[in-house]
Amino acid sequence: MRNVNPLGSYLPGSGPLHRLRPGAKLLGLFVFAIVVVWVPGALSAAVALGIAALLGVLAGLRGRDFWRVARRFLLIAVPLFVFTTISDVLSLTQGSGGIGAASIDVWLQGASRGFAVVGDLFALILAASALTASTALEDMLDTITWLLRPLRRVGIPTEQVSLAFSLVITAIPNILGIARESHDAAKARGLERSTRALVVPLVIRTVAHAQLTGEALAARGLGEDEG
């Protein structure tokens, strides 16, 4: 049974990732993100995708869940892949006739660069999805707050900082879901090529989601003046 709330989705279970302490999973995600960013290339992106997919399976994600995450990501992945590929081809052909003079090898190199960028980003989204699917939001917030506890001595509001961490982790899949639903609604009306039909609902629903998140935060007593 899914426990869905405005701050993310959690899949109750008893798998290896569910039994792992939230602090260890957060540290693992942090290290994974550093390695993914630090090691560029299509091969490393493919390896990162494999590891992230395995983490998703261990967290209880199944075929429908993977497809839902991938479908949401396509709205960003396709233009990002095209932009990165063309930018790389333009860079490689600069001073030699431009993009029209690009050979097949140059296009393949550009596509490899595009796959590396998109693959790295999708691997991070999958890994973050595995984390949120295997960790209850309350446990995540409590763990981050505990890790940041020493910073209270220098006046840093640790609860707000921990909340910012969790919002970053959960915001991407939520916004991707809103974007996909907006696209589906526009497509159903035959307006899939209309920027206005895609962007306006996306902005309105994103703001509404932010308001729901604010209400959830207010219910936890966060964001209120203590004085």
Side-chain angles (χ1 to χ4, degrees), residues 1-5 8-12 60-66 68 72 133:
M1 181 177 176
R2 296 174 183 273
N3 179 20
V4 181
N5 62 66
S9 298
Y10 167 62
L11 302 177
L61 299 178
R62 295 297 178 260
R64 181 178 300 179
D65 302 307
F66 282 109
R68 185 176 59 253
R72 295 170 177 173

Side-chain angles (χ1 to χ4, degrees), residues 5-9 137 141 163 166-167 170-171 174 209 213 216-217 220:
N5 62 66
L7 301 179
S9 298
L137 182 62
L141 289 176
L163 183 61
S166 66
L167 289 178
T170 58
N174 285 328
H209 174 75
T213 303
L217 299 181
R220 292 175 63 90

Side-chain angles (χ1 to χ4, degrees), residues 162-208:
S162 66
L163 183 61
F165 273 107
S166 66
L167 289 178
V168 169
I169 292 172
T170 58
I172 293 178
N174 285 328
I175 293 177
L176 287 175
I178 293 174
R180 182 62 190 179
E181 291 171 2
S182 300
H183 176 266
D184 290 344
K187 185 177 180 180
R189 293 181 292 156
L191 300 174
E192 64 269 26
R193 296 182 182 277
S194 171
T195 304
R196 182 179 179 181
L198 294 173
V199 173
V200 173
L202 173 62
V203 172
I204 293 176
R205 294 192 59 192
T206 301
V207 172

Side-chain angles (χ1 to χ4, degrees), residues 56-218:
V57 172
L58 293 176
L61 299 178
R62 295 297 178 260
R64 181 178 300 179
D65 302 307
F66 282 109
W67 168 238
R68 185 176 59 253
V69 176
R71 189 178 60 178
R72 295 170 177 173
F73 180 62
L74 283 177
L75 287 177
I76 294 176
V78 173
L80 181 60
F81 175 80
V82 173
F83 176 78
T84 305
T85 301
I86 293 178
S87 298
D88 201 64
V89 171
L90 286 174
S91 176
L92 292 172
T93 58
Q94 189 174 16
S96 60
I99 197 170
S103 64
I104 295 297
D105 290 339
V106 171
W107 277 106
L108 289 176
Q109 188 171 343
S112 176
R113 170 65 178 161
F115 171 77
V117 173
V118 172
D120 285 347
L121 184 57
F122 190 46
L124 293 177
I125 291 175
L126 279 181
S129 298
L131 173 62
T132 55
S134 62
T135 309
L137 182 62
E138 291 77 10
D139 294 338
M140 190 183 304
L141 289 176
D142 291 343
T143 300
I144 296 176
T145 301
W146 180 81
L147 291 173
L148 297 176
R149 189 173 50 183
L151 297 179
R152 288 180 179 174
R153 299 175 182 175
V154 294
I156 294 179
T158 56
E159 286 194 346
Q160 283 82 347
V161 174
S162 66
L163 183 61
F165 273 107
S166 66
L167 289 178
V168 169
I169 292 172
T170 58
I172 293 178
N174 285 328
I175 293 177
L176 287 175
I178 293 174
R180 182 62 190 179
E181 291 171 2
S182 300
H183 176 266
D184 290 344
K187 185 177 180 180
R189 293 181 292 156
L191 300 174
E192 64 269 26
R193 296 182 182 277
S194 171
T195 304
R196 182 179 179 181
L198 294 173
V199 173
V200 173
L202 173 62
V203 172
I204 293 176
R205 294 192 59 192
T206 301
V207 172
H209 174 75
Q211 291 177 335
L212 286 175
T213 303
E215 293 173 1
L217 299 181

